Amino acid sequence: MHFPSLWQALRSPRYLLSSWPWRSAAYLLSGVLVGLATLVSLLLLAVTGGALAVVLIGVPLLLMFALAGIPLAALERRRLRLVDPVVLPDPHREPDSTGLAAWVRVRLKEPATWRELGYALLFACVLWPLEALVVGTVLGVCGGLLATPVVMATAGGDEEARVLKIWLAGSYPQAFAAALVGALLLPVLLYPLGLVAAGRAALTRALLSPRDAAVDSRIQELGRSRMRLVDAFEAERRRIERDLHDGAQQRLVALSMTLGLARLENPGEPLGGLLTKAHDEAGTALVEIRELIRGIHPQVLTDRGLKDAVEDVADRSTVPVDVRFELPGRLPEPVETAAYFAVSEALANVAKHSGADRAEVSGGIAGDDLVVEVRDDGAGGADFAGGTGLQGVADRISVLDGRLRISSPAGGPTVFHVRIPCRPVTSAPGTPTRKRT
């Protein structure tokens, strides 16, 4: 007899013919054993850890006490399958790095860890004694009644047997009558046993279920999809840059050289004038395509990193720019790219709109974040409504969980502040200060 859940089985007249009564009994009985083991473990960790904390030996034990709910919750999710076939998902996320320290750090920051510790304390102090009371009542009453003839034949000397320590059976007919009552009472008591097991399972699911699991899962998948789109976009930018650099740019160089040679061969008019004009146009197109390539994805950023790429932007700015960067080495490629284009957009706005005489770009690592700041002494008044450039920078940074803040009161100064979570991927000596005047 198959029922999809214990609740449905309890509403069926064939409940007693199914496996659910025995699964309910196994669930509650195993809960008694697990709860008793949990109580002993928590007491040992708390008492021993607290006593030894003064000499620091107890600190790991107290840490184990704080994390004790995690293995218990994992066991409870498995044990729940006895009476609830729906899998209870694990609310914990995988650490970003390997190692015990990273695992502990992530677990201590998760709300699920503390919910599971609270469940462990509730289980150890309240739930398993209630389960023991229910299972003990059913087994004690029915078992005591069913065992009456056996007790009379062994301990009672075939003369009498005390039934449940309440009344005395003085003959075998009375003993077998008590056993019959126990046999009839067992199916009746299996219903409340199933109800208690179903309620206990519902409580476990309510306490250990991930909060807003579906929403969190969709948010995480959305974040991962955004990162995949950014990676694909950057790969396409690099492909276009490479194709322009190795294809169209080389052809323009060859064309410019050919036109130059043709000018030398035909210096006279009118052909010489036309060749000169064509040579100048080819040179202009070559300059423009080089600027286009640099705007798509600068080679200096790929080859030498963020600091040198920012200095290159500062060198080409029409406004004098001081660059002060202190980086421990190369950063993750998406972080370098986002920071580079943020600085490029900020300096472009300084040159076009601020009327500033000087600007300054500073950057460095603060904790696990890259912090970049562009400051100018212009007239101020910059905002996101002025164009799509700043909004595009904010969108690019937000994909990396970064933040963009702009302070630009009327009259200045304008401060463009970017913070992007990152960790250096290589080590290198600190970069010295470089100033462009």
Side-chain angles (χ1 to χ4, degrees):
M1 189 64 58
H2 176 72
F3 295 100
S5 70
L6 178 55
W7 289 112
Q8 293 182 358
L10 285 167
R11 292 194 293 267
S12 172
R14 298 185 179 182
Y15 166 70
L16 297 176
L17 301 178
S18 68
S19 62
W20 288 106
W22 313 112
R23 293 170 67 171
S24 301
Y27 179 67
L28 294 176
L29 184 59
S30 62
V32 174
L33 300 176
V34 174
L36 182 59
T38 301
L39 176 62
V40 173
S41 301
L42 292 179
L43 284 176
L44 286 175
L45 289 174
V47 173
T48 308
L52 298 178
V54 292
V55 291
L56 301 181
I57 300 177
V59 174
L61 296 178
L62 294 178
L63 182 61
M64 291 175 62
F65 177 85
L67 300 175
I70 297 176
L72 174 64
L75 177 60
E76 285 294 280
R77 293 186 189 95
R78 290 181 175 273
R79 207 169 60 84
L80 189 63
R81 300 295 298 277
L82 285 170
V83 291
D84 191 344
V86 180
V87 177
L88 185 61
D90 189 341
H92 299 288
R93 67 178 181 88
E94 290 294 325
D96 297 329
S97 57
T98 59
L100 179 60
W103 183 87
V104 171
R105 187 164 52 249
V106 169
R107 292 295 174 264
L108 291 177
K109 292 179 181 179
E110 291 179 321
T113 300
W114 304 106
R115 289 201 307 270
E116 290 170 351
L117 177 60
Y119 174 83
L121 294 173
L122 180 66
F123 189 17
C125 300
V126 178
L127 296 181
W128 80 263
L130 295 178
E131 294 174 353
L133 178 63
V134 173
V135 174
T137 299
V138 174
L139 294 181
V141 172
C142 295
L145 291 172
L146 289 170
T148 302
V150 178
V151 173
M152 179 172 286
T154 56
D158 295 329
E159 294 181 356
E160 61 180 22
R162 186 162 295 277
V163 182
L164 300 179
K165 298 185 178 181
I166 298 176
W167 71 84
L168 193 65
S171 63
Y172 274 105
Q174 293 179 352
F176 281 107
L180 180 60
V181 172
L184 296 175
L185 190 60
L186 179 60
V188 176
L189 293 181
L190 287 179
Y191 277 94
L193 187 75
L195 286 172
V196 172
R200 176 69 173 83
L203 178 62
T204 298
R205 180 171 289 277
L207 295 177
L208 296 183
S209 291
R211 299 298 184 259
D212 298 328
V215 176
D216 291 344
S217 177
R218 294 183 63 182
I219 291 175
Q220 292 173 4
E221 178 57 30
L222 178 61
R224 287 192 292 266
S225 66
R226 291 174 68 189
M227 288 301 300
R228 289 194 295 267
L229 286 175
V230 169
D231 292 341
F233 179 65
E234 291 302 329
E236 185 66 14
R237 288 171 66 102
R238 287 192 296 272
R239 186 191 65 79
I240 295 173
E241 181 268 336
R242 184 172 58 252
D243 290 346
L244 289 175
H245 183 275
D246 298 338
Q249 179 179 254
Q250 299 306 319
R251 290 183 181 277
L252 280 175
V253 170
L255 175 61
S256 180
M257 293 178 63
T258 302
L259 290 173
L261 291 174
R263 288 176 58 191
L264 295 177
E265 294 292 334
N266 297 278
E269 296 292 341
L271 184 59
L274 294 174
L275 289 173
T276 299
K277 184 177 180 180
H279 185 263
D280 292 341
E281 290 292 335
T284 302
L286 186 59
V287 171
E288 290 179 353
I289 200 170
R290 283 172 177 167
E291 289 296 324
L292 177 61
I293 292 172
R294 186 181 292 111
I296 292 174
H297 192 87
Q299 192 65 32
V300 64
L301 180 63
T302 302
D303 295 341
R304 300 174 61 183
L306 178 61
K307 176 180 178 296
D308 289 339
V310 169
E311 289 178 345
D312 181 63
V313 174
D315 287 337
R316 291 183 282 109
S317 174
T318 57
V319 176
V321 180
D322 298 334
V323 179
R324 295 183 174 85
F325 258 78
E326 295 290 338
L327 297 177
R330 293 300 299 268
L331 305 177
E333 184 176 348
V335 174
E336 287 189 336
T337 302
Y340 169 80
F341 283 107
V343 172
S344 298
E345 179 65 27
L347 291 181
N349 286 340
V350 170
K352 292 178 183 178
H353 309 297
S354 71
D357 296 324
R358 181 169 292 275
E360 177 183 312
V361 181
S362 59
I365 299 296
D368 286 337
D369 295 345
L370 168 66
V371 178
V372 178
E373 191 171 274
V374 181
R375 180 185 297 267
D376 67 66
D377 58 1
D383 58 40
F384 286 95
T388 59
L390 292 177
Q391 188 60 55
V393 169
D395 292 342
R396 178 190 289 268
I397 292 173
S398 69
V399 173
L400 303 173
D401 293 330
R403 299 185 299 278
L404 168 63
R405 296 200 307 271
I406 297 177
S407 173
S408 185
T414 296
V415 180
F416 182 92
H417 185 90
V418 175
R419 180 179 288 266
I420 307 174
C422 75
R423 290 185 180 179
V425 296
T426 61
S427 296
T431 53
T433 297
R434 178 185 183 275
K435 183 177 290 188
R436 178 187 183 274
T437 58

